[in-house]
Amino acid sequence: MASTSIANISNILKTLWPQDRVFNEVYPDHPFVMRLPKATNFVGDSLYLAVRYGDGQGRSVSFLAAQAAASAPKYARFNLTRSKNYQVYQIDGEAIEAARSDEGALVRTLDDEIRGSLNNITKDLAVNLFRGRSGNIGAISARTAANPGSITLSNIADVTSFEVGMVLVASATLTGANRATPATATITAVNRETGVLTTTTLAGTDWAVSDFLFASGDNANASGSGNKALGLADWLPTTAPTSGDSFLGQDRSFDAVRLAGLRMDISSDVPEEGMLRVAMELDRQGARPKDFIVNHTDYQSVLNSLGTKAVTKYEGVGNIGFQTIQLNGPKGPISVYLDQDCPAGRGYCLDMRTWKFYSLGDAPRILDLDGLNMLRLSSSDAYEGRIGYYGNLGCTAPGFNATVTMPSS
């Protein structure tokens, strides 16, 4: 006599879904974006940010010499315009209806689509605020003939900027022309432990080691300096501007620190000692640095170096909180916090009083000036939603901030 088996009762067995929610694992926290002051009234054509980088001269123990040396104070101004960024999602009408309630699905498809789209464009903004207008999100360190679609990133930590389905372009320089063969490559898999991207085949490609990678449409492609919003990398360049520099209409070489920030290399220092040296130098420049942003790798180096001497503090912005390391700076504690969007090996010591993201309305937001959250597609039973923002990052005192080459881990 045969026993009843699983196969015999397969048609009456239930499929269980024990979860009450589906977690979104796509990098939800962006401390710098959260801490950055915002101004949402960026109307008109553009705005000017003025900087006084020199006092008028005309001082001497000799009155005649003082008169002869008298000069006007030095002012500079940066002409800030808006950059645009868009996120588009499309969803079938049947998919919306079928997953409208908890009874029909684990997630309500439309709500989940909107939240995911907002998360994706916010992530992009967070990366942009560090890397800047070039749109670069990584570079190629290796490719293999055996697997032509495989790309190894130069910096493994950059893998947080890449997602399956992302369409990439490549260029030999940050602002140069796109590689032509092929014009694009779509990511089909991401190894987040090794920094290896699998893409649609790149056989016969001219994509090369040391090429820079961008999301399609973001980069300059040999036309200008880039299409995206400005970031810390633009305001605080790692190389001091030289004569003829033109950044937002301003030659910053007149005073490369006060107009383009402080550049410091602490790669040979003990991490916390080098970071304190940066803070001291900024204090000497008149700044009040309170924030020091680093990548996870560099944050761990600081923790390892401090050991049991580390003093930490939990800080929050709205409903989001994160742990910081406290350094005793010249004008009070400095919060060292990690941000996955900060490139590994690069740190930023900031006086946050001088920074603001200027936008036309909230950034990001649903683009619904016509009162419609979604548009019905004319050629199919589907709907399209649009999310975006118009804005840019501004700084009113670049010289109160520093870009830092961090110690290697």
Side-chain angles (χ1 to χ4, degrees):
M1 180 177 177
S3 300
T4 301
S5 66
I6 288 291
N8 299 136
I9 62 172
S10 61
N11 289 332
I12 63 170
L13 289 177
K14 292 181 178 180
T15 298
L16 300 181
W17 295 83
Q19 300 164 257
D20 58 4
R21 63 177 294 188
V22 175
F23 287 95
N24 186 347
E25 294 186 318
V26 187
Y27 309 124
D29 299 330
H30 309 287
F32 181 55
V33 171
M34 297 171 191
R35 292 171 77 100
L36 183 65
K38 317 291 193 305
T40 59
N41 58 344
F42 188 179
V43 296
D45 177 68
S46 64
L47 60 82
Y48 280 101
L49 299 176
V51 177
R52 180 173 174 139
Y53 69 93
D55 290 335
Q57 299 304 294
R59 189 221 56 78
S60 175
V61 296
S62 164
F63 181 76
L64 292 178
Q67 277 189 323
S71 64
K74 303 298 182 185
Y75 291 97
R77 67 180 187 178
F78 300 102
N79 186 207
L80 195 70
T81 57
R82 290 181 295 270
S83 173
K84 302 175 183 179
N85 202 5
Y86 300 105
Q87 169 81 36
V88 175
Y89 65 89
Q90 295 179 346
I91 184 169
D92 289 344
E94 183 180 7
I96 296 174
E97 295 286 0
R100 186 185 290 274
S101 67
D102 294 340
E103 181 182 5
L106 278 174
V107 295
R108 299 186 181 184
T109 310
L110 181 56
D111 292 345
D112 195 58
E113 192 76 33
I114 294 172
R115 283 195 297 267
S117 295
L118 282 167
N119 189 61
N120 192 55
I121 194 172
T122 301
K123 165 66 178 174
D124 181 76
L125 173 60
V127 174
N128 183 185
L129 290 176
F130 285 99
R131 294 179 175 271
R133 59 184 171 179
S134 74
N136 168 244
I137 54 176
I140 301 173
S141 73
R143 296 192 54 239
T144 61
N147 183 6
S150 176
I151 292 173
T152 302
L153 296 173
S154 297
N155 192 329
I156 292 177
D158 289 344
V159 75
T160 59
S161 298
F162 295 86
E163 298 291 337
V164 173
M166 182 181 285
V167 181
L168 300 178
V169 297
S171 174
T173 64
L174 288 174
T175 58
N178 289 356
R179 296 293 192 184
T181 311
T184 64
T186 301
I187 298 175
T188 58
V190 178
N191 189 321
R192 301 195 180 277
E193 296 178 303
T194 63
V196 173
L197 311 176
T198 302
T199 72
T200 49
T201 182
L202 294 175
T205 182
D206 59 356
W207 293 32
V209 170
S210 298
D211 276 2
F212 295 98
L213 297 171
F214 314 81
S216 179
D218 282 354
N219 62 320
N221 193 15
S223 178
S225 300
N227 300 321
K228 304 201 74 176
L230 297 169
L232 296 176
D234 300 307
W235 283 101
L236 310 174
T238 55
T239 301
T242 56
S243 180
D245 170 70
S246 181
F247 176 71
L248 305 185
Q250 177 64 51
D251 187 340
R252 297 177 291 178
S253 68
F254 297 141
D255 194 321
V257 169
R258 289 181 178 171
L259 297 178
L262 185 67
R263 283 152 290 281
M264 292 193 68
D265 185 341
I266 64 170
S267 58
S268 299
D269 295 1
V270 175
E272 68 274 15
E273 293 177 1
M275 296 167 82
L276 182 58
R277 182 161 65 88
V278 173
M280 288 295 182
E281 183 60 29
L282 281 176
D283 181 71
R284 191 169 74 86
Q285 299 294 337
R288 295 179 183 175
K290 296 292 184 182
D291 291 61
F292 207 125
I293 316 170
V294 294
N295 188 274
H296 286 66
T297 302
D298 300 306
Y299 187 90
Q300 183 178 341
S301 295
V302 180
L303 269 182
N304 290 344
S305 179
L306 285 169
T308 58
K309 297 182 294 182
V311 177
T312 60
K313 179 182 178 182
Y314 187 80
E315 299 186 28
V317 178
N319 296 324
I320 305 298
F322 40 87
Q323 198 78 6
T324 63
I325 301 171
Q326 299 292 293
L327 296 181
N328 289 322
K331 284 189 171 73
I334 295 174
S335 295
V336 181
Y337 61 96
L338 55 84
D339 193 315
Q340 72 209 7
D341 306 307
C342 182
R346 176 65 40 194
Y348 291 97
C349 190
L350 305 178
D351 185 334
M352 292 299 288
R353 300 173 305 161
T354 68
W355 296 96
K356 191 169 288 185
F357 191 80
Y358 299 87
S359 62
L360 193 56
D362 292 336
R365 61 188 173 90
I366 295 174
L367 302 178
D368 59 353
L369 288 179
D370 56 3
L372 300 174
N373 288 339
M374 293 192 301
L375 304 176
R376 183 183 300 168
L377 298 182
S378 60
S379 58
S380 64
D381 176 21
Y383 298 81
E384 179 177 283
R386 299 173 182 178
I387 296 170
Y389 60 85
Y390 319 102
N392 221 330
L393 178 66
C395 183
T396 53
F400 286 177
N401 303 273
T403 178
V404 183
T405 303
M406 299 296 293
S408 57
S409 56

